[in-house]
């Protein structure tokens, strides 16, 4: 996997300083608001580039990154209810259903009725799926190594806390929208 080597503006450089941006655009946002807008931009751009890079990494396997994640989770758990699978991967049931349909077509998983609750289905990896997941394991490992290269464990803890808070805030925004 190869990430763009494009130069990223430094947060305190004149090109991206909140006061410099505010002055150029003549807005009345505070420095904090500008910093937040800049961070949102970087988050979205990073997510987009990461998604593209991950899809390129998994493309030779014939699976999307999402399909690989679902297959990997099924293998880890030796099978899982579709709803639990969706929850564990942060997907809705419709998204998981579409992904599982692709994996079923490729004969990497099977969908069986849960013998304890016939309303539920259990997604179980096939032998072919287990072999495929084993091959995909090195892709996940390489991606993780490359993505976090240059960061030590001490840097990951505050990053995890910040991203967790942002994710919680995003959930609250979504919940409020759904209530209306």
């Amino acid at each position: 996997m190869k990430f763009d080597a494009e130069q990223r503006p430094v947060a305190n450089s004149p090109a991206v300083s909140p006061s410099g941006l505010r002055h150029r655009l003549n807005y009345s946002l505070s420095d904090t608001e500008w910093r937040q807008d800049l961070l949102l931009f970087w988050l979205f751009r990073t997510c987009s580039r990461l998604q593209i890079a991950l899809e390129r990494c998994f493309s030779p396997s014939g699976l999307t990154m999402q399909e690989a994640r679902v297959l990997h989770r099924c293998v880890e758990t030796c099978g899982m209810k579709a709803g639990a699978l969706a929850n564990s991967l942060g997907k809705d049931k419709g998204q998981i259903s579409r992904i599982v349909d692709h994996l079923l077509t490729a004969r990497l998983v099977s969908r069986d009725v849960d013998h304890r609750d016939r309303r539920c289905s259990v997604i179980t990896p096939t032998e072919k799926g287990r072999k495929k997941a084993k091959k995909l394991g090195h892709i996940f490992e390489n991606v993780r190594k490359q993505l976090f290269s240059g960061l030590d464990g001490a840097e990951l803890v505050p990053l995890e806390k910040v991203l967790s808070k942002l994710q919680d805030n995003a959930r609250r925004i979504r919940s409020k929208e759904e209530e209306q």
Side-chain angles (χ1 to χ4, degrees):
M1 179 176 85
K2 188 173 181 181
F3 291 103
D4 291 344
E6 175 187 320
Q7 285 286 349
R8 178 178 68 77
V10 179
N12 60 1
S13 71
V16 294
S17 71
S19 57
L21 289 171
R22 188 177 64 233
H23 176 74
R24 281 198 313 248
L25 297 175
N26 200 20
Y27 285 114
S28 60
L29 293 177
S30 69
D31 283 355
T32 300
E33 290 168 326
W34 275 107
R35 178 102 29 226
Q36 290 167 341
D37 283 352
L38 180 63
L39 289 172
L40 278 175
F41 168 75
W42 281 344
L43 280 171
F44 286 127
R45 187 169 73 177
T46 301
C47 288
S48 175
R49 288 183 176 175
L50 181 58
Q51 182 73 32
I52 290 166
L54 290 172
E55 291 301 340
R56 286 182 185 152
C57 289
F58 285 97
S59 179
S61 74
L63 297 177
T64 66
M65 189 246 334
Q66 296 301 326
E67 291 166 346
R69 283 182 64 211
V70 169
L71 177 60
H72 193 261
R73 182 58 53 96
C74 287
V75 169
E76 280 180 334
T77 61
C78 299
M80 213 172 176
K81 287 183 181 181
L85 186 59
N87 288 337
S88 74
L89 294 172
K91 302 284 180 199
D92 63 40
K93 290 179 184 177
Q95 290 171 315
I96 287 295
S97 182
R98 285 186 292 280
I99 292 169
V100 166
D101 286 345
H102 288 122
L103 296 174
L104 283 166
T105 301
R107 298 195 167 125
L108 298 172
V109 297
S110 63
R111 182 186 286 151
D112 303 303
V113 175
D114 184 357
H115 66 274
R116 286 177 264 156
D117 184 351
R118 297 188 56 75
R119 298 170 296 170
C120 299
S121 62
V122 176
I123 313 304
T124 309
T126 62
E127 185 59 33
K128 181 180 176 182
R130 283 188 281 280
K131 288 178 183 176
K132 183 80 153 184
K134 191 173 184 176
K135 291 177 184 176
L136 294 172
H138 76 279
I139 297 174
F140 282 111
E141 187 177 328
N142 288 339
V143 166
R144 189 173 29 259
K145 283 180 182 176
Q146 289 183 40
L147 183 62
F148 292 104
S149 69
L151 297 174
D152 63 30
E155 291 174 298
L156 297 179
V157 173
L159 177 62
E160 181 182 0
K161 288 179 182 179
V162 169
L163 291 175
S164 179
K165 286 179 183 181
L166 290 173
Q167 195 171 37
D168 288 344
N169 291 344
R171 275 192 208 107
R172 279 194 286 280
I173 291 169
R174 185 174 178 187
S175 294
K176 287 179 184 178
E177 289 175 355
E178 289 173 355
E179 290 174 1
Q180 296 173 351

